[in-house]
Amino acid sequence: MPAVSKGDGMRGLAVFISDIRNCKSKEAEIKRINKELANIRSKFKGDKALDGYSKKKYVCKLLFIFLLGHDIDFGHMEAVNLLSSNKYTEKQIGYLFISVLVNSNSELIRLINNAIKNDLSSRNPTFMCLALHCIANVGSREMAEAFASEIPRILVAGDTMDSVKQSAALCLLRLYKTSPDLVLMGEWTSRVVHLLNDQHMGVVTAAISLITCLSQKNPDEFKTCVSLAVSRLSRIVSSASTDLQDYTYYFVPAPWLSCKLLRLLQCYPPPEDGAVKGRLVECLETILNKAQEPPKSKKVQHSNAKNAILFEAISLIIHYDSEPNLLVRACNQLGQFLQHRETNLRYLALESMCTLASSEFSHEAVKTHIETVINALKTERDVSVRQRAADLLYAMCDRSNAKQIVAEMLSYLETADYSIREEMVLKVAILAEKYAVDYSWYVDTILNLIRIAGDYVSEEVWYRVIQIVINRDDVQGYAAKTVFEALQAPACHENMVKVGGYILGEFGNLIAGDPRSSPLVQFNLLHSKFHLCSVPTRALLLSAYIKFINLFPETKATIQEVLRCDSQIRNSDVELQQRAVEYLKLSSIASTDVLATVLEEMPPFPERESSILAKLKKKKGPGAVSVTELEDSKREGGELNGGGDRGQDTATMAASNASTPSPSADLLGIRSTAPLGAAPASAGSLLVDVFSEAGPTAPSAAVNDDGFLSSAPPSEDPAPPLSEADDLLNKFVCKNNGVLFENQLLQIGIKSEYRQNLGRMYLFYGNKTSVQFASFTTTVSCPGELQSQLNVQTKPVEPLVEGGAQIQQVLNIECLTDFSDAPLLNIKFRYGGALQNLTLKLPVTINKFFQPTEMTSHDFFQRWKQLSQPQQEAQKIFKANNSMDTEVLKAKLLGLGTALLDNVDPNPENYVCAGVIQTKSQQVGCLLRLEPNAQAQVQHTDSPERVSHNYSSIPNFLHYLSPYSVNI
Amino acid sequence: MQFMLLFSRQGKLRLQKWYVPLCDKEKKKITRELVQTVLARKPKMCSFLEWRDLKIVYKRYASLYFCCAIEDQDNELITLEIIHRYVELLDKYFGSVCELDIIFNFEKAYFILDEFLLGGEAQETSKKNVLKAIEQADLLQENIDFQMRLFAGVMVPNMVSESSGLFQN
């Protein structure tokens, strides 16, 4: 029994709970509950007014019944009555009931809000806290509407008690999370930041959660928190374990606050102020040092609290990714944890190392732990830890260790838990493709994958191996031979039969010279599997057979006989029957020429994003490996698929690429050089199609390159921007990634991301030749008035770019105010002694700083009408280039950065969008309406803005919109 | 933190606290799924697991499992100590707390939690300050019903596990 029952107990409640616990069956329990519900209902309905105590007791019983999992449909009114009781415990139970049971759309909300209002203005701190807890627990929009402006006042008022401040801070956080639009920044914001300096540690602990969340959304307004957080952290880190009294937890000073401070700092780049940065680095070093000190207590709580801070510090170090010394120390520390006896620490170390592996400073250091990680994969008893080990192996994989890692993952697959097999298979397939130096290894790996875990090999994986074999003629013979051997196994997986059927049907001729794999032997081998296979596989095999007839006329009679037999030609499956009938007919009436044309070898597949990568992204499995990271590391590897090269240039080039990594790295799978030889890819996903716009436009640039190369004046001055640069630039209005430029020497890929008024752009310079580029320099400049409008910072790149290599440059961009010109990128390098000089416009346009905004139809048109002055409005009528496809248009408008608002415009044909352009100096609301006119193929665009300034650039980008919002 | 669940070894839910808006049906589904997942894990296994797009941090105290769902960027170890601090608070308040205390005084367990965590974030980490707030509230109430102590008549025997102190294991 409970040793103590403090406070004011309710005997009736205790009896009821005991009764329920004594019930022998579910039925008995339900019976008892129904009896109680009937009793309570009659009490509530009865003539006799209930006293507060009884009301409290019954409400509490209802709550208990609800928490048991039963529905409660009455009692809400009584609970609301309790809110206005003067007795604390009654009020408290009332609030608890409301917090647990009232959903936001209840009609009682008005009454509840009234009671809360009274308590907030009562100046009784205990009541105020109860009311604030209730708001924080319910957090509904109605409550936000009622209190979002009141709570900041309570939070920063000078006479508010500490405990109330704590509740107010977290209450505001909850409201901000549910209804950010209702919590308006104001003069209170700067005072909130200063709560970091509060004397009361509890106030700081509560306030910092709020500040962190607000900083993420409004980094500039809260910038001052960085130096305050650093000095607070520094004081805690350097304090003795007893200094902070009750805020010291098992000899660790203020672990929660420390973690939150370190977390807050992760919302910002490293401090610019040297002194602040120095102090912070000192803190981080101290935290790392403390990890080496002997523990002050044997209790697990001590080490957990200490390590929680350590892991958070390491996260910050990784986030900065700029202090090689700290990164390597972090890596060493995690390395120690990899062999720690605490499973929790091993798990976290593996997880944290995954992110370290992607930093250029620590990648090598992480790699030194490969044996430990492989061992973890083999010996950990907990599947979630093994999963982390597999993730880390994936993250640390590069060209140097790919063979070892892939081999280990393959052997682990034989015994791997079912829950993670599919993901493992995808990862092995991706690594094998990414780091394949010779394709026979790649083919071996995938066939092994099918052999070991055939059930988990998804279609994407076996499609991919076929795509690659088709596109690379240097591996076709090997693939045919290997797949032929694999099919010899008495029991082989159906996926193997599919791959085998496809590859032998295409390239069986390459091994037919060997009598052991003569055409007939190949056919018999395939056909021996036929009867065990499912319908789709059989259909594939039938196609392979007809290809055999073309490749090897000597098999014609045998195969025709097979096609002719009843089990084929009269098969109950329509697809099989049709194929059998048609193939039979085709083989009997067509001349060899016709047959050869119809059954020609498959053309190379157009190169797109690897379908496997897309699949892994979709799964986005528990992965410490984020998708971006994956793509980032993708650039290290050349790509296997020669599709792009082959169509355009010569087969010899593709062949020579076979042994050296392809020079043009595949950014997000978008290639500017569309495979001209291949049929244009048809219906892909919308997203891909929007992006792959680069395909059709780029060749024109590529054609001009020749001229550029010969005519570029070898001068030291920046070359004037290419004339077609504007076209190139416009390509990027609605997208952030792709190939910016490409000629015979150089490919420049671009990847960018924007948040608020800040942006980060990654430029990838790929040397397409086999000769090194010397004196490679790049300069970014903001000509004319752009200098005061846009702030672009970058570091110089390495002056040497090896043949076939790719280097990366990061630009940090800050939008200070509206702008209309683009920054210029000048690139100079020496190629074989000749100076190359080229200038490009960087695709930074004002719409990149759009923040989408949702609003209702009513709001939208109200604001629209307010913006009636001529300088607030711009209208354009332009002709659509092609069809006005809804999905394409939508994708374009979203790509622009605005929110596309549904059900706003009464005319469903129209598109309306809203967004806020974030600049450092101000935020500009922008509304847009696009009215397609299908008959005339023209569209109107209106774009009023909310400010009185003349934002000249908005009409400008509407202009961009016209050619590139495609087909408008 | 998105939510916290307390459940027994038999899978009975003892306390639930949700910091994100979800409908009842979804809450029940999550609870069922998680209780099953966590109970299936062996004692020496790691206290963290990935579940949907959240991280689950759990720890067993005697017969009770404490289970928190946190977001990707949240810190697992400090969450483990959030759980521990909550158990300490319960222990201090009830005096060697056991599962029965939480069953019979569930409202108190909620009140203590609200003082400690609000909106899923630590509000006050000092044990002294949290208990002070709760005890002040207890003092405020008017007529302490001493009869409450007389539970003996309604207690059921053979509840060994539920009445064993959480800190004993």
Side-chain angles (χ1 to χ4, degrees), chain A residues 712-720 826-830 835-838:
Chain A
S715 87
E716 293 287 332
D717 300 316
N826 176 254
I827 301 154
K828 283 186 205 152
F829 59 93
R830 288 190 179 277
L835 178 74
Q836 306 289 332
N837 185 354
L838 103 120

Side-chain angles (χ1 to χ4, degrees), chain A residues 663-664 672 705 708-709 739-749 764-769 773 776 778 801 805-807 825 827-829 831 836 838 840:
Chain A
S664 48
S672 69
D705 293 342
F708 161 68
L709 267 181
V739 175
L740 180 66
F741 172 82
E742 180 159 28
N743 64 17
Q744 289 173 345
L745 303 179
L746 177 71
Q747 186 196 48
I748 305 175
F764 303 93
Y765 305 96
N767 180 345
K768 289 174 67 177
T769 71
F773 292 164
F776 191 88
T778 66
V801 187
Q806 190 186 55
I807 56 167
L825 172 70
I827 301 154
K828 283 186 205 152
F829 59 93
Y831 168 68
Q836 306 289 332
L838 103 120
L840 297 168

Side-chain angles (χ1 to χ4, degrees), chain B residues 43-62:
Chain B
K44 286 280 165 196
M45 282 188 168
C46 135
S47 310
F48 320 123
L49 55 127
E50 296 200 322
W51 181 82
R52 300 195 186 173
D53 49 355
L54 296 174
K55 300 195 281 199
I56 302 297
V57 177
Y58 73 93
K59 186 160 182 181
R60 183 178 151 185
Y61 287 87

Side-chain angles (χ1 to χ4, degrees), chain A residues 638-658:
Chain A
E639 59 189 307
L640 264 182
N641 198 307
D645 300 330
R646 278 184 34 154
Q648 189 188 32
D649 220 354
T650 52
T652 44
M653 185 175 163
S656 69
N657 279 349

Side-chain angles (χ1 to χ4, degrees), chain A residues 376-562:
Chain A
L377 186 66
K378 286 178 176 162
T379 57
E380 282 290 349
R381 272 184 293 174
D382 184 347
V383 55
S384 43
V385 186
R386 289 198 296 274
Q387 167 100 51
R388 287 288 82 83
D391 285 345
L392 178 52
L393 281 179
Y394 180 76
M396 66 162 71
C397 191
D398 63 18
R399 205 166 286 280
S400 73
N401 56 20
K403 284 203 172 167
Q404 185 188 9
I405 286 178
V406 166
E408 291 295 347
M409 286 173 99
L410 272 176
S411 78
Y412 171 62
L413 251 180
E414 308 216 24
T415 52
D417 312 72
Y418 294 114
S419 56
I420 63 172
R421 279 192 181 194
E422 190 183 351
E423 200 189 323
M424 290 284 297
V425 166
L426 287 175
K427 287 184 168 168
V428 170
I430 290 170
L431 292 179
E433 178 181 341
K434 195 157 73 173
Y435 297 117
V437 189
D438 69 275
Y439 301 97
S440 49
W441 175 73
Y442 169 75
V443 170
D444 284 342
T445 305
I446 301 296
L447 293 186
N448 263 329
L449 209 51
I450 296 175
R451 192 176 51 75
I452 295 167
D455 282 345
Y456 298 89
V457 172
S458 55
E459 286 186 337
E460 286 84 354
V461 173
W462 75 262
Y463 286 176
R464 189 71 184 156
V465 66
I466 285 173
Q467 281 175 11
I468 285 170
V469 170
I470 299 263
N471 286 12
R472 304 231 59 121
D473 42 20
D474 55 325
V475 74
Q476 290 159 355
Y478 182 80
K481 180 168 159 284
T482 318
V483 85
F484 177 78
E485 279 160 13
L487 285 172
Q488 306 285 339
C492 62
H493 195 274
E494 192 166 331
N495 280 334
M496 188 71 89
V497 179
K498 288 178 184 161
V499 175
Y502 203 109
I503 289 182
L504 292 181
E506 293 292 326
F507 309 114
N509 55 329
L510 298 177
I511 56 166
D514 188 325
R516 283 167 301 177
S517 52
S518 71
L520 220 50
V521 175
Q522 287 184 40
F523 170 74
N524 285 333
L525 180 61
L526 280 180
H527 199 52
S528 68
K529 315 285 180 193
F530 187 92
H531 304 280
L532 300 169
C533 290
S534 63
V535 168
T537 308
R538 288 192 203 185
L540 187 152
L541 286 178
L542 289 180
S543 299
Y545 296 170
I546 185 72
K547 290 219 156 195
F548 267 42
I549 293 185
N550 175 42
L551 286 179
F552 319 115
E554 65 265 41
T555 59
K556 185 170 171 178
T558 320
I559 291 174
Q560 279 184 333
E561 202 167 311
V562 168

Side-chain angles (χ1 to χ4, degrees), chain A residues 858-927:
Chain A
H858 175 257
D859 290 348
F860 183 90
F861 284 105
Q862 196 175 16
R863 290 181 197 188
W864 185 274
K865 287 193 193 99
Q866 283 166 4
L867 300 166
S868 52
Q869 293 170 31
Q871 71 268 33
Q872 290 179 314
E873 198 166 358
Q875 183 171 8
K876 256 196 170 57
I877 301 172
F878 45 88
K879 197 159 170 27
N881 288 357
N882 280 304
S883 75
M884 296 191 280
D885 181 81
T886 321
E887 291 308 315
V888 175
L889 274 177
K890 279 187 180 168
K892 283 286 146 193
L893 290 168
L894 287 173
L896 198 62
T898 50
L900 189 58
L901 306 175
D902 282 325
N903 304 324
V904 166
D905 198 301
N907 180 352
E909 300 294 325
N910 292 347
Y911 301 88
V912 295
C913 302
V916 178
I917 292 180
Q918 311 264 351
T919 74
K920 193 184 180 188
S921 58
Q922 69 187 126
Q923 304 188 338
V924 187
C926 180
L927 307 174

Side-chain angles (χ1 to χ4, degrees), chain A residues 2 4 8 18 21-22 88 166-167 209 246-247 249-250 263 301 304 308 312 344 351 382 388 622, chain B residues 41 46-47 50 73 75-76 81 84 88 94 101 121 123-124 126-129 137 141 154 156 162:
Chain A
V4 188
D8 136 50
S18 295
R21 291 171 53 75
N22 283 332
Y88 181 77
Q166 286 166 277
S167 299
S209 298
D246 211 32
Y247 289 93
Y249 179 83
Y250 291 85
R263 174 91 196 88
Q301 282 75 28
N304 278 352
E312 207 59 65
N344 288 345
E351 188 183 45
D382 184 347
R388 287 288 82 83
Chain B
R41 291 178 62 86
C46 135
S47 310
E50 296 200 322
Q73 72 277 9
N75 188 312
E76 291 98 337
E81 294 320 300
H84 189 78
E88 282 184 352
F94 288 107
D101 290 316
E121 298 283 339
Q123 172 175 220
E124 178 54 86
S126 150
K127 195 152 68 173
K128 235 185 262 166
N129 289 354
Q141 51 89 24
V154 294
V156 256
E162 290 173 345

